[in-house]
Amino acid sequence: MPLPPADLPPWDGQRKSLLDAAMGVRPPPAIPQPGAASFSKEPYFLAAGYALHPTGLHSDAPTAPFSAYWQPAQGQGLTEPARLFRKDEEFHHFSVLDADGKSRYGPVIWEQCLTIRHNHGAVEPRAVHGLLREVARPEPWLSCACDQACPVSGVWQPWVAADHPLQAIVNQYWRQAWLTQGAPFPRPRRDWLLDLPDDDVTWHLMDASIADLG
């Protein structure tokens, strides 16, 4: 909830409304978009809500040192997708080119991949249980740049790209702001003291419901 002198949301005098206004909001989780791995069978299967992230941990051992997803490391001319290997399961051999440009068949270097949650860029702030309340996704779904005026009164969430270096401190529920129609959006450098260009931030309408004061 914003603090004075900022504009405050309308209040109907009910305790529940006051508690709801103090919590962050989020829409229902987006349905994961299936990819090629989610249609594959084991050991290549990976659930649609997850993605693989190379860790930089390599192994030239003949067998997997522990259970994980592994793929041939880059730079070996291989496009084999990551697959799940059990601990001590034998790594596969491939035909690769050696330093002299000659083809050889044998072991290769493998790289471990982590499974990470992947929601395909959906604007879904996360928090421990009890700090967020789920609300219906506003229709229409509105997004605005920092230099625009707020088009609809409600709760707005700032968001940067998932690979942005400041995403961990911007894509948070506590960055949400209740804004009235026509009000300016907060600016990262002016209001948050972050070295973050306005163009990197997009504001998304999360909740346009207003307490019934009638």
Side-chain angles (χ1 to χ4, degrees):
M1 174 182 290
L3 298 176
D7 291 329
L8 296 176
W11 184 39
D12 58 4
Q14 299 298 315
R15 179 174 180 271
K16 181 180 183 303
S17 299
L18 189 63
L19 293 176
D20 285 348
M23 300 174 67
V25 298
R26 67 178 175 192
I31 299 175
Q33 302 176 15
S38 62
F39 291 113
S40 302
K41 295 183 179 180
E42 288 190 0
Y44 297 98
F45 173 79
L46 184 67
Y50 292 86
L52 293 173
H53 178 71
T55 63
L57 177 64
H58 297 115
S59 175
D60 59 0
T63 61
F66 50 86
S67 296
Y69 280 88
W70 295 85
Q71 68 180 9
Q74 293 184 356
Q76 301 178 100
L78 297 172
T79 57
E80 176 74 6
R83 54 158 289 171
L84 180 64
F85 282 92
R86 305 295 180 184
K87 185 178 185 299
D88 296 327
E89 184 177 349
E90 186 175 356
F91 281 135
H92 296 176
H93 289 188
F94 296 91
S95 291
V96 295
L97 296 178
D98 60 21
D100 297 326
K102 295 181 180 180
S103 178
R104 68 167 180 84
Y105 181 80
V108 299
I109 298 175
W110 292 81
E111 182 176 12
Q112 182 211 0
C113 295
L114 287 178
T115 53
I116 59 174
R117 184 177 179 273
H118 182 46
N119 61 3
H120 303 276
V123 180
E124 296 177 353
R126 304 182 69 190
V128 298
H129 179 73
L131 294 181
L132 290 174
R133 58 187 177 90
E134 190 170 290
V135 297
R137 187 179 296 273
E139 294 293 345
W141 175 253
L142 298 179
S143 300
C144 294
C146 281
D147 60 355
Q148 294 180 257
C150 175
V152 175
S153 298
V155 178
W156 291 79
Q157 170 75 55
W159 207 256
V160 296
D163 58 354
H164 194 286
L166 295 182
Q167 66 86 20
I169 59 174
V170 175
N171 298 353
Q172 298 288 344
Y173 78 94
W174 43 266
R175 291 280 184 197
Q176 293 177 1
W178 194 90
L179 299 170
T180 55
Q181 184 177 8
F185 286 102
R187 298 294 184 88
R189 288 182 171 131
R190 181 193 65 196
D191 301 305
W192 304 338
L193 303 181
L194 290 179
D195 187 14
L196 177 63
D198 289 352
D199 291 345
D200 290 359
V201 180
T202 303
W203 287 84
H204 302 275
L205 179 63
M206 305 295 285
D207 184 19
S209 61
I210 299 176
D212 183 5
L213 304 180

